[in-house]
Amino acid sequence: MKQRVLFVDDDKNILASFRSLLRKEFIVDTASHPEEGLAMFKEKGPYPVVVSDLKMPDMNGLTLLSKISNLNEDTVGIILTGHADLEAAVTALNQGYVFRFLTKPSDKETIVNVVSAGLDQYNLITGNKEKERIIKQDLRAAAFIQESFLPHERADIETLSLNWLFKPSDYVGGDLFDLIHLDKDNTAFYIMDISGHGVSAALAAVSVSLLLARSGHLTNSETGEITPPSELLLQLDNDFPIERLNKHFTMFYGVANSARKTLRYSSAGHPPPILLRSNGALEYLEKGGSVIGMNSGIPFEEDEVPFNPGDRLLSFTDGVSEYQSPSDEMFELERFITLVQEYRDMPSRDILDRIYEKMMQFGENRPPQDDVTICCLDFKQESEKK
């Protein structure tokens, strides 16, 4: 199928020769004045390729192609020039104003080759943009699917409430977390961070999440006994050697018991969550072991700490502490802790929002280099229970 090309030149004889020479190869439209060419582009365009004379009355070819680029940035511009103006044409070419140039006179084969190259360039540009549009559409769908694996913005189970903030560095990310009802007294919470980010990390996170949803992992399907956090992490380390996902991941996993008012936990290389006591004291939950994926077989340490009404557990991924300013300074854990202490009396949702606002101010709104997740798990006081 022949494609349309617009030729603009103040010499009508040259335009007539283009129409005659190229009628079999292209659909040739012509304009004898730059303003006429602009009007034709607006009326019949966009044209894939516009070939313009360099020197014309009222407006030169570079100005014309610049105006056409404002109308459609994908249009490919080609300049016609005489030998005397060759230096100006080469300068324009080097500065990116035009795709190619043709000298006057040029034989038919040269003109066809140059215009065809311009059409190929146009098709490449528009084809890549269409592929990019399809990819973005697919990524938006993937983000929607990933969101379905996240808890509600505020998840409530018995005496616990989870508020969270999740900002993937791409459409989708490798962070995942959840609050899971185990029995009338026990509720599990986990947060994980898959190495890398983007689609591959998101797929790996969903794979781990689906495994956790199966019976026999969080609880024993026969006895109903709850799997201790250290044993669960060891199971995951065995189930997900690095060869399986080509990824490793960090994870914090805890089981809150509302009857005993305790939190039993273990961590696999994850940044230690901060336990903010109702009296203002801070504790760091550091027991655990190495990242999951190394399949080292080394047992994970675990601990059990009091978890009373009014206490809060703040957990996060390293996308927070490793967020960098334009000068490559890291946000770091110390700033995070300072903000936790500053906003401690606020509702959990406000704490998360304020910390993220301060983080972005620190980075001068630079996009996060890694996925950012902050979770706040509250042991509700009597006045907060429904």
Side-chain angles (χ1 to χ4, degrees), residues 147 149-156 162-164 177-178 349:
E147 286 174 8
F149 284 86
L150 300 177
H152 295 296
E153 186 171 352
R154 171 174 166 156
D156 292 273
L162 176 68
N163 284 275
W164 53 270
F177 49 91
D178 205 356
R349 180 72 258 165

Side-chain angles (χ1 to χ4, degrees), residues 151 155 157 160-164 176-182 186-192 212 218 229 232-233 251-257 263-266 270-271 273-274 285 307 313-317 373-378:
I157 297 179
L160 297 174
S161 176
L162 176 68
N163 284 275
W164 53 270
L176 207 58
F177 49 91
D178 205 356
L179 190 66
I180 305 169
H181 175 77
L182 298 178
N186 293 283
T187 303
F189 166 73
Y190 72 82
I191 180 171
M192 73 173 77
L212 288 174
L218 301 184
L232 177 73
L233 295 182
M251 184 174 181
F252 173 88
Y253 178 74
V255 177
N257 185 290
L263 178 67
R264 190 178 183 185
Y265 78 91
S266 186
H270 200 80
I274 299 169
L285 306 189
F307 194 38
L313 181 71
L314 284 121
S315 54
F316 55 95
T317 57
T373 300
I374 313 173
C375 294
C376 186
L377 181 65
D378 288 78

Side-chain angles (χ1 to χ4, degrees), residues 149 176 202-212 214 240 244-245:
F149 284 86
L176 207 58
L203 289 173
V206 168
S207 177
V208 177
S209 175
L210 289 172
L211 180 70
L212 288 174
R214 298 174 188 168
F240 289 97
R244 178 172 176 181
L245 296 176

Side-chain angles (χ1 to χ4, degrees), residues 59 125 187 372:
M59 185 190 305
I125 293 169
T187 303
V372 170

Side-chain angles (χ1 to χ4, degrees), residues 209-249:
S209 175
L210 289 172
L211 180 70
L212 288 174
R214 298 174 188 168
S215 61
H217 283 82
L218 301 184
T219 59
N220 187 302
S221 56
E222 295 181 359
T223 66
E225 292 182 357
I226 294 169
T227 305
S230 58
E231 291 186 17
L232 177 73
L233 295 182
L234 189 59
Q235 285 181 22
L236 292 175
D237 196 35
N238 292 329
D239 289 336
F240 289 97
I242 197 166
E243 295 82 8
R244 178 172 176 181
L245 296 176
N246 198 27
K247 298 280 184 184
H248 64 269
F249 61 95

Side-chain angles (χ1 to χ4, degrees), residues 124-368:
L124 178 64
I125 293 169
T126 54
N128 286 341
K129 286 189 174 182
E130 177 62 13
K131 290 177 182 177
E132 183 179 357
R133 185 192 68 79
I134 293 172
I135 289 171
K136 286 183 177 180
Q137 181 177 318
D138 289 345
L139 285 173
R140 282 191 288 268
F144 178 80
I145 293 170
Q146 184 180 32
E147 286 174 8
S148 70
F149 284 86
L150 300 177
H152 295 296
E153 186 171 352
R154 171 174 166 156
D156 292 273
I157 297 179
E158 302 298 336
T159 59
L160 297 174
S161 176
L162 176 68
N163 284 275
W164 53 270
L165 182 147
F166 173 52
K167 302 288 186 181
S169 61
D170 207 333
Y171 283 87
V172 291
D175 293 357
L176 207 58
F177 49 91
D178 205 356
L179 190 66
I180 305 169
H181 175 77
L182 298 178
D183 61 29
K184 66 182 182 66
D185 292 328
N186 293 283
T187 303
F189 166 73
Y190 72 82
I191 180 171
M192 73 173 77
D193 181 2
I194 307 289
S195 60
H197 48 82
V199 173
S200 62
L203 289 173
V206 168
S207 177
V208 177
S209 175
L210 289 172
L211 180 70
L212 288 174
R214 298 174 188 168
S215 61
H217 283 82
L218 301 184
T219 59
N220 187 302
S221 56
E222 295 181 359
T223 66
E225 292 182 357
I226 294 169
T227 305
S230 58
E231 291 186 17
L232 177 73
L233 295 182
L234 189 59
Q235 285 181 22
L236 292 175
D237 196 35
N238 292 329
D239 289 336
F240 289 97
I242 197 166
E243 295 82 8
R244 178 172 176 181
L245 296 176
N246 198 27
K247 298 280 184 184
H248 64 269
F249 61 95
T250 67
M251 184 174 181
F252 173 88
Y253 178 74
V255 177
N257 185 290
S258 58
R260 297 200 313 270
K261 296 182 175 57
T262 60
L263 178 67
R264 190 178 183 185
Y265 78 91
S266 186
S267 179
H270 200 80
I274 299 169
L275 188 55
L276 178 60
R277 298 294 187 186
S278 58
N279 64 6
L282 293 181
E283 298 176 20
Y284 304 97
L285 306 189
E286 299 177 312
K287 294 292 185 181
S290 182
V291 298
I292 293 173
M294 299 298 102
N295 198 16
S296 64
I298 300 174
F300 290 85
E301 293 182 323
E302 70 173 55
D303 197 6
E304 187 173 64
V305 295
F307 194 38
N308 297 299
D311 290 346
R312 287 170 164 167
L313 181 71
L314 284 121
S315 54
F316 55 95
T317 57
D318 60 13
V320 177
S321 55
E322 295 179 2
Y323 176 65
Q324 292 182 327
S325 70
S327 62
D328 294 332
E329 181 183 2
M330 287 191 179
F331 189 69
E332 296 183 343
L333 180 60
E334 288 74 15
R335 287 188 178 86
F336 182 84
I337 294 170
T338 299
L339 294 174
V340 169
Q341 292 174 319
E342 181 179 349
Y343 302 136
R344 56 187 299 162
D345 295 327
M346 292 183 174
S348 296
R349 180 72 258 165
D350 293 341
I351 292 177
L352 303 182
D353 290 339
R354 291 292 183 88
I355 289 176
Y356 187 71
E357 287 172 8
K358 289 293 186 181
M359 190 183 102
M360 296 308 291
Q361 288 176 14
F362 167 82
E364 299 179 14
N365 291 314
R366 187 182 190 186

